[in-house]
Amino acid sequence: MTLLVNLSFLLPQPTGISVYAANIVPYLAPLKPTLLTAQPQPGFDCCPIPANLTPAQGSRGHLNRLYWTQTQLPRLYRQHQGHLLFSPIPEAPLGADCRTVVMVHDLIPLRFPNWKSPLTPYFRWYIPAVLRQAEHIVCNSQATAQDMVDFWQVPARKITPILLGYNQDHFRPPSTPLPPTPCPYFLYLGRPDPHKNVARLIAAFAQLPEGQDCELLLAGPEDPRYTPRLRAQTEALGISAKVKWLNYVPYDQLPQLMHQATALVFPSLWEGFGFPVLEAMACGTAVITSQISSLPEVVGDAGLLVNPYDISALAEAMQALLQNSSLRQALIQKGLVRASQLTWHQTGQQTRELLQHFL
């Protein structure tokens, strides 16, 4: 029985979905898969494929990959006498004789549609067609599973949610105590896209009592579509001096930045999983996040869950952690325990067992 793993999208420096694939593939080794990849993976049988199929080539890379998936992937499946194709993204050849298991990460382009984006037709027509013919579907949370049922009418029995993990060697509390920061700060980590809810976070921060000694640090790549509007919001609210824009923060600096924060505040309106809250908990950081989507599944009882549409509730949660050190310490300890339960080892093992079943 031959398992093929489609890694056509894999980036040399993994981010996002590539991080998922890079962390679970080692756990598939007992199944002796053949990896379809432009990047040789030591210890695996690898079938070389074109290197121009990734997000690094922008829209052209995506189009190249979809064309390759439809025209060349079925040929490779037959050539290797494939019995099952696993794709860590929801892509597979349509109408071909390939048994597939695919991974769905989120349906955010359907929840927050942008009709000018090519992601809209991709999510409305291509992915549902892939899922209809798939043997089985893996996803990263029960929230994503329910979205597939609601948006695409996928039978629940065809879906297995498997929560993700984090890099335990990287995201952890410092080995020695760090000196206190000059000023306490709340940290947001992520993009400024509207569904990330940064505008309400800024409005909530502005509601903290006047004279409160704290700052709001916004870490993540700036976007000319959204960042200027958010900067103007801080000016209009009179808090621009207390809001710091860090832009992209290097990976090696993230654990310290998280650990020294009063709390990570992540009020997203929807997430398929939500890596920042898990990584913050692992660093020994209190978490304030949304009570909707997958975030309660990730955090459990280890964070303050708020209605992300309620600005006052968000402000009250931040104020509570500034004033109540016992509450903050309790959340830190619960967060460390919760993070220890969500590991790539667990994700990889569960994924391997599921693929073994379909082999």
Side-chain angles (χ1 to χ4, degrees), residues 15 49 86 111 123 140 143 172 219 239 247 290 320 324:
T15 59
I49 62 173
F86 173 52
R111 282 195 164 272
F123 271 77
N140 51 10
R172 58 185 181 182
I239 57 171
N247 209 322
S290 304
N324 191 335

Side-chain angles (χ1 to χ4, degrees), residues 20 24 27-28 86 101-105 136-145 148 159-165 272-275 278 294 297-298 338 341-356 358:
Y20 165 77
I24 64 162
Y27 292 95
L28 305 185
F86 173 52
V101 172
V102 299
M103 169 71 170
V104 174
H105 295 266
H136 202 71
I137 304 155
V138 185
C139 65
N140 51 10
S141 65
Q142 186 59 50
T144 299
M148 281 191 275
I159 308 168
T160 298
I162 300 177
L163 292 176
L164 307 186
F273 181 73
F275 279 115
L278 174 56
S294 64
E297 296 178 58
V298 178
R338 178 57 180 157
Q341 299 167 350
L342 298 175
T343 65
W344 284 123
H345 178 75
Q346 174 181 283
T347 307
Q349 278 196 326
Q350 292 179 4
T351 304
R352 182 180 69 231
E353 290 168 4
L354 183 140
L355 293 175
Q356 177 70 68
F358 284 95

Side-chain angles (χ1 to χ4, degrees), residues 79-93:
Q79 177 183 320
H80 289 272
Q81 298 181 322
H83 185 72
L84 185 68
L85 171 70
F86 173 52
S87 180
I89 55 176
E91 295 181 359

